[in-house]
């Protein structure tokens, strides 16, 4: 077992490069979901703190040490942050597990991804210098034009608890690479590593106000950020209802938003797969990784009838082999869900599925060997029909529902039978069929013969009720840039639209 005595620093809000007590001095307890114990507390920002942070961010943009930096200069800061994250990887990973219940293996992988994401956007920041000003040829002798890519301004980043630091960095790294000043509002359920990021920024000397970190409750800290007149954009990842509230608040000021709102993603398994075990493991990973608390989790298995029984049998064998334990234990592959609220919510989805007539093929309860903590067994539900809640709604826990199909057309129809549109996976060795599914799936992410692998270079986001806008890749950077056209009249001749008074 890793050291659970890693100290949790008592941090304040990180504003203008300093630790600052919230105006109202409120704090929120930190709960370890594996033990249900309070292990510290975080500051709770309110509208007053949001005002101070927005002011600090605006000042950063107005100051040369941030507002006039080149991409190459900003890249140096991003690389320094990446190096610090790797230096502190073991402590950060442990803190992430203590705070969110994520297995230590996954927390450590997240820290590598965090550093990789800063490195990736450091490269893009450097490349931005040569793309900052693009001449555009109009085939005109009278006008000279060019297009500038500029930082969008002050941006609010509101992020969830499932990958506490990583989801924040998917927005922080491109925002800083673009030259924006950012205010990060992480989830109150898991903010510890985001506060540690503040300490890292202080240590590497990030210009003050370039990144501000406000922990606090959604309506109290996130709400005022979304509706603040001097915040130029909100980038949000989280639930649909909250996304809708943020969009409503932003709409009053015609403030742009990007929303990443999760889903109910399908994984379609055909009978032509060569290896049931390989497909079973990807199916498992697609729903049980991070205890199913993944926006893109492939939570609906749609399996061809001819192999359904053999495939489920194999799936059960793999599922029974998953080690469920305290996330700091070696080889733990399934930790608790993040909070008491999430635990109740997941169990309720399971009991509703049962009352609606579905069969709990495996799991569905608290594991018997774990008396404390928000643990839910990996759960597989069959005899599902398309009007059931478990087919339609995002559980955000380790719960897979299963339906069978006979024909390709039926599989496509089932896969797209959802209000969401984030991700979809197909498992088949028929290349043409995979191409047909790639076209037919109504989503922003397609996985072929796998589920969930994620790369910094690739756009991340969905359509339908999964939201709009893209994190990651060059699209993630573009979303923090203002595109400004500059048009200059270069002719010595008068414009001659009006009759000149001098000719009267
Ligand atoms: N798409 C995704 O990655 C995620 C989806 N979810 C879904 O959401 C469900 C509920 O989880 P929650 O933690 O309640 O998610 P949430 O959407 O309420 O929280 C996400 C972020 O939004 C903030 N927030 C909440 N209310 C706000 C408001 N009125 N204005 C501005 N910011 C606000 C929260 O403080 C947090 O930082 C989960 O069961 C899951 O289904 C949760 C987390 C991540
Ligand atoms: N593998 C990263 C998933 C990110 C998300 O849940 O939003
Ligand atoms: Na927590």
């Amino acid at each position: 077992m890793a050291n659970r005595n890693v100290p949790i620093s008592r941090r304040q809000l990180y504003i203008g490069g300093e630790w600052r007590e919230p105006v109202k001095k409120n704090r929120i307890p930190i709960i370890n979901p594996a033990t249900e114990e309070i292990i510290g507390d975080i500051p709770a920002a309110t509208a007053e703190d949001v005002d101070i942070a927005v002011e600090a961010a605006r000042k950063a943009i107005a100051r040369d040490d941030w507002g006039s930096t080149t991409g190459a200069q900003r890249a140096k800061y991003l690389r320094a942050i990446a190096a610090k994250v790797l230096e502190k990887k073991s402590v950060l990973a442990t803190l992430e597990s203590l705070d969110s219940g994520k297995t230590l293996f996954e927390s450590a992988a997240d820290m590598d991804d965090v550093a990789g994401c800063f490195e990736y956007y450091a490269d893009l920041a450097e490349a931005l210098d040569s793309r900052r000003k693009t001449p555009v040829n109009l085939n005109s002798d009278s006008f000279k034009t060019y297009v500038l890519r500029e930082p969008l301004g002050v941006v609010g980043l509101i992020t969830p608890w499932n990958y506490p630091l990583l989801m924040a960095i998917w927005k922080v790294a491109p925002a800083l690479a673009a030259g924006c000043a950012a205010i990060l509002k992480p989830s109150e359920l898991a903010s510890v590593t985001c506060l540690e990021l503040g300490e890292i920024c202080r240590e590497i000397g990030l210009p003050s106000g370039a990144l501000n970190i406000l922990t606090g409750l959604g309506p109290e800290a996130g709400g005022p950020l979304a509706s603040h007149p001097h915040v130029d954009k909100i980038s949000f990842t989280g639930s649909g209802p909250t996304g809708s509230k943020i969009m409503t608040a932003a709409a009053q000021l015609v403030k742009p938003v990007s929303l990443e709102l999760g889903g109910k993603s399908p994984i379609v398994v055909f009978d032509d797969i060569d290896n049931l075990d390989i497909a079973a493991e990807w199916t498992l990973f697609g729903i049980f990784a991070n205890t199913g608390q993944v926006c893109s989790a492939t939570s609906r298995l749609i399996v061809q009838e001819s192999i359904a029984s053999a495939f489920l049998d194999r799936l059960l064998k793999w599922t029974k082999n998953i080690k469920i334990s305290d996330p700091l234990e070696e080889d733990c592959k399934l930790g608790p869900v993040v909070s008491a609220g999430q635990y109740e919510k997941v169990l309720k989805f399971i009991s509703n599925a049962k009352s609606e007539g579905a069969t709990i093929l495996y799991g569905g309860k608290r594991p018997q060997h774990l008396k404390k903590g928000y643990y839910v067994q990996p759960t597989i539900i069959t005899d599902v029909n398309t009007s059931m809640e478990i087919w339609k709604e995002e559980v955000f826990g380790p719960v897979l529902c299963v339906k069978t199909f006979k024909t390709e057309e039926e599989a496509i129809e089932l896969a797209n039978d959802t209000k969401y549109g984030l991700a979809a996976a197909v498992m088949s060795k028929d290349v043409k069929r995979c191409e047909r599914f790639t076209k037919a799936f109504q989503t922003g992410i397609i996985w072929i013969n796998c589920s969930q692998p994620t790369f910094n270079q690739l756009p991340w986001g969905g359509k339908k009720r999964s939201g709009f806008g893209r994190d990651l890749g060059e699209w993630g950077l573009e979303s923090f840039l203002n595109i400004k056209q500059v048009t200059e009249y270069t002719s010595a001749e008068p414009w001659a639209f009006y009759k000149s008074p001098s000719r009267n």
Side-chain angles (χ1 to χ4, degrees), residues 158-162 185-188 218-219 222-223 236-239 242 245-246 260-262 295 342 345 394 396:
I158 302 180
T159 56
W161 43 260
N162 57 336
K185 209 308 276 171
S187 168
E188 61 276 23
F236 171 76
T237 300
S239 67
T242 301
K245 279 184 202 152
I246 286 173
E260 206 274 75
L261 306 177
C295 56
Q342 196 63 20
K345 190 174 153 186
E394 181 178 52
F396 229 66

PDB file of all heavy atoms in Angstrom, residues 158-162 185-188 218-219 222-223 236-239 242 245-246 260-262 295 342 345 394 396, ligand 1:
ATOM      1  N   ILE A 158     -14.305  25.757 -15.869  1.00  0.00           N
ATOM      2  CA  ILE A 158     -15.057  25.087 -14.791  1.00  0.00           C
ATOM      3  C   ILE A 158     -14.988  23.586 -15.064  1.00  0.00           C
ATOM      4  O   ILE A 158     -15.394  23.114 -16.132  1.00  0.00           O
ATOM      5  CB  ILE A 158     -16.512  25.600 -14.757  1.00  0.00           C
ATOM      6  CG1 ILE A 158     -16.509  27.127 -14.562  1.00  0.00           C
ATOM      7  CG2 ILE A 158     -17.296  24.910 -13.641  1.00  0.00           C
ATOM      8  CD1 ILE A 158     -17.884  27.772 -14.517  1.00  0.00           C
ATOM      9  N   THR A 159     -14.450  22.852 -14.094  1.00  0.00           N
ATOM     10  CA  THR A 159     -14.057  21.465 -14.395  1.00  0.00           C
ATOM     11  C   THR A 159     -14.608  20.467 -13.365  1.00  0.00           C
ATOM     12  O   THR A 159     -14.989  20.845 -12.261  1.00  0.00           O
ATOM     13  CB  THR A 159     -12.514  21.372 -14.500  1.00  0.00           C
ATOM     14  OG1 THR A 159     -11.940  21.858 -13.286  1.00  0.00           O
ATOM     15  CG2 THR A 159     -11.995  22.194 -15.671  1.00  0.00           C
ATOM     16  N   PRO A 160     -14.636  19.175 -13.736  1.00  0.00           N
ATOM     17  CA  PRO A 160     -15.279  18.148 -12.916  1.00  0.00           C
ATOM     18  C   PRO A 160     -14.288  17.384 -12.030  1.00  0.00           C
ATOM     19  O   PRO A 160     -13.089  17.660 -12.022  1.00  0.00           O
ATOM     20  CB  PRO A 160     -15.858  17.222 -13.976  1.00  0.00           C
ATOM     21  CG  PRO A 160     -14.843  17.247 -15.068  1.00  0.00           C
ATOM     22  CD  PRO A 160     -14.237  18.617 -15.049  1.00  0.00           C
ATOM     23  N   TRP A 161     -14.821  16.382 -11.363  1.00  0.00           N
ATOM     24  CA  TRP A 161     -14.043  15.648 -10.364  1.00  0.00           C
ATOM     25  C   TRP A 161     -13.508  14.305 -10.870  1.00  0.00           C
ATOM     26  O   TRP A 161     -12.774  13.625 -10.159  1.00  0.00           O
ATOM     27  CB  TRP A 161     -14.906  15.382  -9.125  1.00  0.00           C
ATOM     28  CG  TRP A 161     -16.312  14.942  -9.439  1.00  0.00           C
ATOM     29  CD1 TRP A 161     -17.423  15.743  -9.413  1.00  0.00           C
ATOM     30  CD2 TRP A 161     -16.780  13.640  -9.828  1.00  0.00           C
ATOM     31  NE1 TRP A 161     -18.548  15.030  -9.765  1.00  0.00           N
ATOM     32  CE2 TRP A 161     -18.177  13.730 -10.032  1.00  0.00           C
ATOM     33  CE3 TRP A 161     -16.165  12.408 -10.034  1.00  0.00           C
ATOM     34  CZ2 TRP A 161     -18.974  12.645 -10.430  1.00  0.00           C
ATOM     35  CZ3 TRP A 161     -16.941  11.329 -10.430  1.00  0.00           C
ATOM     36  CH2 TRP A 161     -18.325  11.457 -10.618  1.00  0.00           C
ATOM     37  N   ASN A 162     -13.907  13.870 -12.058  1.00  0.00           N
ATOM     38  CA  ASN A 162     -13.554  12.495 -12.447  1.00  0.00           C
ATOM     39  C   ASN A 162     -12.080  12.329 -12.809  1.00  0.00           C
ATOM     40  O   ASN A 162     -11.490  11.284 -12.560  1.00  0.00           O
ATOM     41  CB  ASN A 162     -14.479  11.990 -13.568  1.00  0.00           C
ATOM     42  CG  ASN A 162     -14.473  12.855 -14.792  1.00  0.00           C
ATOM     43  OD1 ASN A 162     -14.164  14.038 -14.714  1.00  0.00           O
ATOM     44  ND2 ASN A 162     -14.816  12.291 -15.918  1.00  0.00           N
ATOM     45  N   LYS A 185     -11.965  26.928 -11.912  1.00  0.00           N
ATOM     46  CA  LYS A 185     -12.865  26.566 -10.807  1.00  0.00           C
ATOM     47  C   LYS A 185     -13.033  25.055 -10.870  1.00  0.00           C
ATOM     48  O   LYS A 185     -13.870  24.537 -11.601  1.00  0.00           O
ATOM     49  CB  LYS A 185     -14.209  27.267 -11.005  1.00  0.00           C
ATOM     50  CG  LYS A 185     -14.984  27.578  -9.734  1.00  0.00           C
ATOM     51  CD  LYS A 185     -15.215  26.422  -8.784  1.00  0.00           C
ATOM     52  CE  LYS A 185     -16.411  25.579  -9.140  1.00  0.00           C
ATOM     53  NZ  LYS A 185     -16.517  24.335  -8.354  1.00  0.00           N
ATOM     54  N   PRO A 186     -12.211  24.312 -10.094  1.00  0.00           N
ATOM     55  CA  PRO A 186     -12.340  22.851 -10.098  1.00  0.00           C
ATOM     56  C   PRO A 186     -13.549  22.407  -9.278  1.00  0.00           C
ATOM     57  O   PRO A 186     -14.187  23.218  -8.616  1.00  0.00           O
ATOM     58  CB  PRO A 186     -11.037  22.375  -9.449  1.00  0.00           C
ATOM     59  CG  PRO A 186     -10.471  23.541  -8.724  1.00  0.00           C
ATOM     60  CD  PRO A 186     -11.162  24.793  -9.175  1.00  0.00           C
ATOM     61  N   SER A 187     -13.831  21.111  -9.336  1.00  0.00           N
ATOM     62  CA  SER A 187     -14.986  20.585  -8.587  1.00  0.00           C
ATOM     63  C   SER A 187     -14.703  20.566  -7.087  1.00  0.00           C
ATOM     64  O   SER A 187     -13.624  20.153  -6.643  1.00  0.00           O
ATOM     65  CB  SER A 187     -15.309  19.171  -9.050  1.00  0.00           C
ATOM     66  OG  SER A 187     -16.220  18.584  -8.138  1.00  0.00           O
ATOM     67  N   GLU A 188     -15.685  20.974  -6.325  1.00  0.00           N
ATOM     68  CA  GLU A 188     -15.569  20.963  -4.858  1.00  0.00           C
ATOM     69  C   GLU A 188     -15.360  19.547  -4.319  1.00  0.00           C
ATOM     70  O   GLU A 188     -14.919  19.358  -3.190  1.00  0.00           O
ATOM     71  CB  GLU A 188     -16.807  21.600  -4.216  1.00  0.00           C
ATOM     72  CG  GLU A 188     -18.135  20.919  -4.511  1.00  0.00           C
ATOM     73  CD  GLU A 188     -18.779  21.349  -5.829  1.00  0.00           C
ATOM     74  OE1 GLU A 188     -18.058  21.831  -6.729  1.00  0.00           O
ATOM     75  OE2 GLU A 188     -20.008  21.196  -5.956  1.00  0.00           O
ATOM     76  N   GLY A 218     -20.330  25.021  -6.799  1.00  0.00           N
ATOM     77  CA  GLY A 218     -20.717  25.402  -8.152  1.00  0.00           C
ATOM     78  C   GLY A 218     -21.499  26.704  -8.217  1.00  0.00           C
ATOM     79  O   GLY A 218     -21.049  27.684  -8.834  1.00  0.00           O
ATOM     80  N   PRO A 219     -22.676  26.763  -7.576  1.00  0.00           N
ATOM     81  CA  PRO A 219     -23.479  27.983  -7.703  1.00  0.00           C
ATOM     82  C   PRO A 219     -22.784  29.214  -7.113  1.00  0.00           C
ATOM     83  O   PRO A 219     -22.948  30.310  -7.604  1.00  0.00           O
ATOM     84  CB  PRO A 219     -24.757  27.649  -6.922  1.00  0.00           C
ATOM     85  CG  PRO A 219     -24.805  26.153  -6.893  1.00  0.00           C
ATOM     86  CD  PRO A 219     -23.383  25.683  -6.875  1.00  0.00           C
ATOM     87  N   GLY A 222     -18.697  28.997  -9.269  1.00  0.00           N
ATOM     88  CA  GLY A 222     -18.785  28.817 -10.721  1.00  0.00           C
ATOM     89  C   GLY A 222     -19.825  29.739 -11.335  1.00  0.00           C
ATOM     90  O   GLY A 222     -19.608  30.304 -12.418  1.00  0.00           O
ATOM     91  N   GLY A 223     -20.951  29.914 -10.640  1.00  0.00           N
ATOM     92  CA  GLY A 223     -22.042  30.752 -11.149  1.00  0.00           C
ATOM     93  C   GLY A 223     -21.579  32.186 -11.446  1.00  0.00           C
ATOM     94  O   GLY A 223     -21.724  32.669 -12.572  1.00  0.00           O
ATOM     95  N   PHE A 236     -16.335  24.546 -20.130  1.00  0.00           N
ATOM     96  CA  PHE A 236     -16.912  23.731 -19.045  1.00  0.00           C
ATOM     97  C   PHE A 236     -16.887  22.251 -19.395  1.00  0.00           C
ATOM     98  O   PHE A 236     -17.169  21.860 -20.526  1.00  0.00           O
ATOM     99  CB  PHE A 236     -18.365  24.176 -18.818  1.00  0.00           C
ATOM    100  CG  PHE A 236     -19.131  23.281 -17.878  1.00  0.00           C
ATOM    101  CD1 PHE A 236     -18.912  23.339 -16.505  1.00  0.00           C
ATOM    102  CD2 PHE A 236     -20.065  22.367 -18.353  1.00  0.00           C
ATOM    103  CE1 PHE A 236     -19.610  22.511 -15.629  1.00  0.00           C
ATOM    104  CE2 PHE A 236     -20.766  21.532 -17.495  1.00  0.00           C
ATOM    105  CZ  PHE A 236     -20.540  21.604 -16.115  1.00  0.00           C
ATOM    106  N   THR A 237     -16.564  21.428 -18.425  1.00  0.00           N
ATOM    107  CA  THR A 237     -16.787  19.985 -18.514  1.00  0.00           C
ATOM    108  C   THR A 237     -17.548  19.557 -17.277  1.00  0.00           C
ATOM    109  O   THR A 237     -17.155  19.892 -16.152  1.00  0.00           O
ATOM    110  CB  THR A 237     -15.454  19.205 -18.588  1.00  0.00           C
ATOM    111  OG1 THR A 237     -14.746  19.631 -19.756  1.00  0.00           O
ATOM    112  CG2 THR A 237     -15.683  17.704 -18.689  1.00  0.00           C
ATOM    113  N   GLY A 238     -18.643  18.827 -17.482  1.00  0.00           N
ATOM    114  CA  GLY A 238     -19.417  18.362 -16.336  1.00  0.00           C
ATOM    115  C   GLY A 238     -20.772  17.851 -16.775  1.00  0.00           C
ATOM    116  O   GLY A 238     -20.929  17.359 -17.899  1.00  0.00           O
ATOM    117  N   SER A 239     -21.754  18.022 -15.915  1.00  0.00           N
ATOM    118  CA  SER A 239     -23.065  17.432 -16.196  1.00  0.00           C
ATOM    119  C   SER A 239     -23.890  18.298 -17.148  1.00  0.00           C
ATOM    120  O   SER A 239     -23.677  19.515 -17.244  1.00  0.00           O
ATOM    121  CB  SER A 239     -23.831  17.258 -14.884  1.00  0.00           C
ATOM    122  OG  SER A 239     -24.152  18.520 -14.354  1.00  0.00           O
ATOM    123  N   THR A 242     -25.863  21.284 -15.388  1.00  0.00           N
ATOM    124  CA  THR A 242     -24.993  22.420 -15.051  1.00  0.00           C
ATOM    125  C   THR A 242     -24.542  23.133 -16.326  1.00  0.00           C
ATOM    126  O   THR A 242     -24.499  24.368 -16.378  1.00  0.00           O
ATOM    127  CB  THR A 242     -23.781  21.952 -14.217  1.00  0.00           C
ATOM    128  OG1 THR A 242     -24.282  21.329 -13.036  1.00  0.00           O
ATOM    129  CG2 THR A 242     -22.885  23.094 -13.838  1.00  0.00           C
ATOM    130  N   LYS A 245     -27.162  25.449 -17.337  1.00  0.00           N
ATOM    131  CA  LYS A 245     -27.203  26.669 -16.496  1.00  0.00           C
ATOM    132  C   LYS A 245     -26.095  27.642 -16.906  1.00  0.00           C
ATOM    133  O   LYS A 245     -26.307  28.855 -16.967  1.00  0.00           O
ATOM    134  CB  LYS A 245     -26.987  26.298 -15.019  1.00  0.00           C
ATOM    135  CG  LYS A 245     -28.242  25.797 -14.346  1.00  0.00           C
ATOM    136  CD  LYS A 245     -27.971  25.549 -12.867  1.00  0.00           C
ATOM    137  CE  LYS A 245     -29.003  24.567 -12.332  1.00  0.00           C
ATOM    138  NZ  LYS A 245     -28.564  23.777 -11.219  1.00  0.00           N
ATOM    139  N   ILE A 246     -24.913  27.084 -17.167  1.00  0.00           N
ATOM    140  CA  ILE A 246     -23.778  27.940 -17.528  1.00  0.00           C
ATOM    141  C   ILE A 246     -24.049  28.623 -18.865  1.00  0.00           C
ATOM    142  O   ILE A 246     -23.817  29.823 -19.041  1.00  0.00           O
ATOM    143  CB  ILE A 246     -22.481  27.107 -17.557  1.00  0.00           C
ATOM    144  CG1 ILE A 246     -22.065  26.817 -16.113  1.00  0.00           C
ATOM    145  CG2 ILE A 246     -21.369  27.797 -18.336  1.00  0.00           C
ATOM    146  CD1 ILE A 246     -20.914  25.887 -15.943  1.00  0.00           C
ATOM    147  N   GLU A 260     -18.589  20.273 -22.518  1.00  0.00           N
ATOM    148  CA  GLU A 260     -18.322  18.842 -22.676  1.00  0.00           C
ATOM    149  C   GLU A 260     -19.130  18.144 -21.595  1.00  0.00           C
ATOM    150  O   GLU A 260     -18.801  18.225 -20.419  1.00  0.00           O
ATOM    151  CB  GLU A 260     -16.813  18.602 -22.535  1.00  0.00           C
ATOM    152  CG  GLU A 260     -16.348  17.375 -23.252  1.00  0.00           C
ATOM    153  CD  GLU A 260     -16.503  16.143 -22.402  1.00  0.00           C
ATOM    154  OE1 GLU A 260     -17.663  15.677 -22.258  1.00  0.00           O
ATOM    155  OE2 GLU A 260     -15.493  15.657 -21.895  1.00  0.00           O
ATOM    156  N   LEU A 261     -20.198  17.467 -22.013  1.00  0.00           N
ATOM    157  CA  LEU A 261     -21.247  17.081 -21.053  1.00  0.00           C
ATOM    158  C   LEU A 261     -21.507  15.578 -20.926  1.00  0.00           C
ATOM    159  O   LEU A 261     -22.595  15.172 -20.529  1.00  0.00           O
ATOM    160  CB  LEU A 261     -22.561  17.776 -21.462  1.00  0.00           C
ATOM    161  CG  LEU A 261     -22.473  19.294 -21.632  1.00  0.00           C
ATOM    162  CD1 LEU A 261     -23.803  19.852 -22.103  1.00  0.00           C
ATOM    163  CD2 LEU A 261     -22.034  19.976 -20.352  1.00  0.00           C
ATOM    164  N   GLY A 262     -20.535  14.792 -21.273  1.00  0.00           N
ATOM    165  CA  GLY A 262     -20.720  13.368 -21.015  1.00  0.00           C
ATOM    166  C   GLY A 262     -21.619  12.663 -22.010  1.00  0.00           C
ATOM    167  O   GLY A 262     -21.958  13.218 -23.053  1.00  0.00           O
ATOM    168  N   CYS A 295     -16.622  10.478 -18.967  1.00  0.00           N
ATOM    169  CA  CYS A 295     -17.694  11.046 -19.799  1.00  0.00           C
ATOM    170  C   CYS A 295     -17.903  10.221 -21.054  1.00  0.00           C
ATOM    171  O   CYS A 295     -19.008  10.128 -21.565  1.00  0.00           O
ATOM    172  CB  CYS A 295     -17.373  12.487 -20.150  1.00  0.00           C
ATOM    173  SG  CYS A 295     -15.804  12.659 -20.950  1.00  0.00           S
ATOM    174  N   GLN A 342     -22.710  10.365  -5.173  1.00  0.00           N
ATOM    175  CA  GLN A 342     -22.540   9.583  -6.400  1.00  0.00           C
ATOM    176  C   GLN A 342     -22.844   8.101  -6.117  1.00  0.00           C
ATOM    177  O   GLN A 342     -23.452   7.411  -6.932  1.00  0.00           O
ATOM    178  CB  GLN A 342     -21.104   9.770  -6.922  1.00  0.00           C
ATOM    179  CG  GLN A 342     -20.896   9.346  -8.369  1.00  0.00           C
ATOM    180  CD  GLN A 342     -21.704  10.168  -9.369  1.00  0.00           C
ATOM    181  OE1 GLN A 342     -22.142  11.267  -9.072  1.00  0.00           O
ATOM    182  NE2 GLN A 342     -21.932   9.622 -10.545  1.00  0.00           N
ATOM    183  N   LYS A 345     -26.501   7.634  -6.009  1.00  0.00           N
ATOM    184  CA  LYS A 345     -27.048   7.823  -7.349  1.00  0.00           C
ATOM    185  C   LYS A 345     -26.845   6.548  -8.197  1.00  0.00           C
ATOM    186  O   LYS A 345     -27.766   6.082  -8.876  1.00  0.00           O
ATOM    187  CB  LYS A 345     -26.322   9.022  -7.985  1.00  0.00           C
ATOM    188  CG  LYS A 345     -26.921   9.500  -9.269  1.00  0.00           C
ATOM    189  CD  LYS A 345     -26.213  10.769  -9.739  1.00  0.00           C
ATOM    190  CE  LYS A 345     -26.344  10.838 -11.243  1.00  0.00           C
ATOM    191  NZ  LYS A 345     -25.607  11.902 -11.861  1.00  0.00           N
ATOM    192  N   GLU A 394     -27.071   8.707 -18.279  1.00  0.00           N
ATOM    193  CA  GLU A 394     -25.681   8.525 -17.886  1.00  0.00           C
ATOM    194  C   GLU A 394     -25.608   8.166 -16.403  1.00  0.00           C
ATOM    195  O   GLU A 394     -26.119   8.904 -15.560  1.00  0.00           O
ATOM    196  CB  GLU A 394     -24.908   9.826 -18.137  1.00  0.00           C
ATOM    197  CG  GLU A 394     -23.446   9.723 -17.784  1.00  0.00           C
ATOM    198  CD  GLU A 394     -22.678  11.015 -18.082  1.00  0.00           C
ATOM    199  OE1 GLU A 394     -23.113  12.091 -17.635  1.00  0.00           O
ATOM    200  OE2 GLU A 394     -21.649  10.920 -18.754  1.00  0.00           O
ATOM    201  N   PHE A 396     -22.533   7.262 -14.797  1.00  0.00           N
ATOM    202  CA  PHE A 396     -21.262   7.743 -14.277  1.00  0.00           C
ATOM    203  C   PHE A 396     -20.800   6.891 -13.100  1.00  0.00           C
ATOM    204  O   PHE A 396     -20.469   7.369 -12.028  1.00  0.00           O
ATOM    205  CB  PHE A 396     -21.360   9.220 -13.887  1.00  0.00           C
ATOM    206  CG  PHE A 396     -20.237  10.047 -14.443  1.00  0.00           C
ATOM    207  CD1 PHE A 396     -20.095  10.241 -15.806  1.00  0.00           C
ATOM    208  CD2 PHE A 396     -19.297  10.633 -13.602  1.00  0.00           C
ATOM    209  CE1 PHE A 396     -19.051  11.002 -16.324  1.00  0.00           C
ATOM    210  CE2 PHE A 396     -18.248  11.393 -14.100  1.00  0.00           C
ATOM    211  CZ  PHE A 396     -18.134  11.585 -15.459  1.00  0.00           C
TER     212      PHE A 396
HETATM  213  N1  LIG B   1     -18.889  15.080 -18.541  1.00  0.00           N
HETATM  214  C1  LIG B   1     -18.174  14.795 -17.494  1.00  0.00           C
HETATM  215  O1  LIG B   1     -16.982  14.612 -17.602  1.00  0.00           O
HETATM  216  C2  LIG B   1     -18.803  14.768 -16.154  1.00  0.00           C
HETATM  217  C3  LIG B   1     -20.115  14.456 -15.971  1.00  0.00           C
HETATM  218  N2  LIG B   1     -20.638  14.434 -14.728  1.00  0.00           N
HETATM  219  C4  LIG B   1     -22.052  14.045 -14.555  1.00  0.00           C
HETATM  220  O2  LIG B   1     -22.651  14.948 -13.667  1.00  0.00           O
HETATM  221  C5  LIG B   1     -23.238  14.278 -12.576  1.00  0.00           C
HETATM  222  C6  LIG B   1     -23.199  15.138 -11.346  1.00  0.00           C
HETATM  223  O3  LIG B   1     -21.888  15.464 -10.989  1.00  0.00           O
HETATM  224  P1  LIG B   1     -21.575  16.906 -10.418  1.00  0.00           P
HETATM  225  O4  LIG B   1     -20.314  16.926  -9.687  1.00  0.00           O
HETATM  226  O5  LIG B   1     -22.770  17.412  -9.674  1.00  0.00           O
HETATM  227  O6  LIG B   1     -21.340  17.720 -11.777  1.00  0.00           O
HETATM  228  P2  LIG B   1     -21.529  19.240 -12.080  1.00  0.00           P
HETATM  229  O7  LIG B   1     -21.756  19.394 -13.523  1.00  0.00           O
HETATM  230  O8  LIG B   1     -22.506  19.854 -11.171  1.00  0.00           O
HETATM  231  O9  LIG B   1     -20.094  19.843 -11.696  1.00  0.00           O
HETATM  232  C7  LIG B   1     -19.082  20.155 -12.623  1.00  0.00           C
HETATM  233  C8  LIG B   1     -18.485  21.516 -12.278  1.00  0.00           C
HETATM  234  O10 LIG B   1     -19.479  22.526 -12.405  1.00  0.00           O
HETATM  235  C9  LIG B   1     -19.539  23.309 -11.215  1.00  0.00           C
HETATM  236  N3  LIG B   1     -20.907  23.823 -11.061  1.00  0.00           N
HETATM  237  C10 LIG B   1     -21.983  23.216 -10.488  1.00  0.00           C
HETATM  238  N4  LIG B   1     -23.067  24.024 -10.534  1.00  0.00           N
HETATM  239  C11 LIG B   1     -22.673  25.161 -11.144  1.00  0.00           C
HETATM  240  C12 LIG B   1     -23.345  26.369 -11.509  1.00  0.00           C
HETATM  241  N5  LIG B   1     -24.635  26.571 -11.224  1.00  0.00           N
HETATM  242  N6  LIG B   1     -22.639  27.324 -12.160  1.00  0.00           N
HETATM  243  C13 LIG B   1     -21.342  27.135 -12.464  1.00  0.00           C
HETATM  244  N7  LIG B   1     -20.657  26.026 -12.131  1.00  0.00           N
HETATM  245  C14 LIG B   1     -21.304  25.040 -11.493  1.00  0.00           C
HETATM  246  C15 LIG B   1     -19.121  22.334 -10.132  1.00  0.00           C
HETATM  247  O11 LIG B   1     -18.729  23.006  -8.976  1.00  0.00           O
HETATM  248  C16 LIG B   1     -17.980  21.621 -10.842  1.00  0.00           C
HETATM  249  O12 LIG B   1     -16.816  22.405 -10.812  1.00  0.00           O
HETATM  250  C17 LIG B   1     -22.466  12.984 -12.498  1.00  0.00           C
HETATM  251  O13 LIG B   1     -23.199  11.998 -11.874  1.00  0.00           O
HETATM  252  C18 LIG B   1     -22.217  12.679 -13.942  1.00  0.00           C
HETATM  253  O14 LIG B   1     -23.331  12.036 -14.501  1.00  0.00           O
HETATM  254  C19 LIG B   1     -19.900  14.739 -13.632  1.00  0.00           C
HETATM  255  C20 LIG B   1     -18.588  15.080 -13.751  1.00  0.00           C
HETATM  256  C21 LIG B   1     -17.921  15.040 -15.028  1.00  0.00           C
END
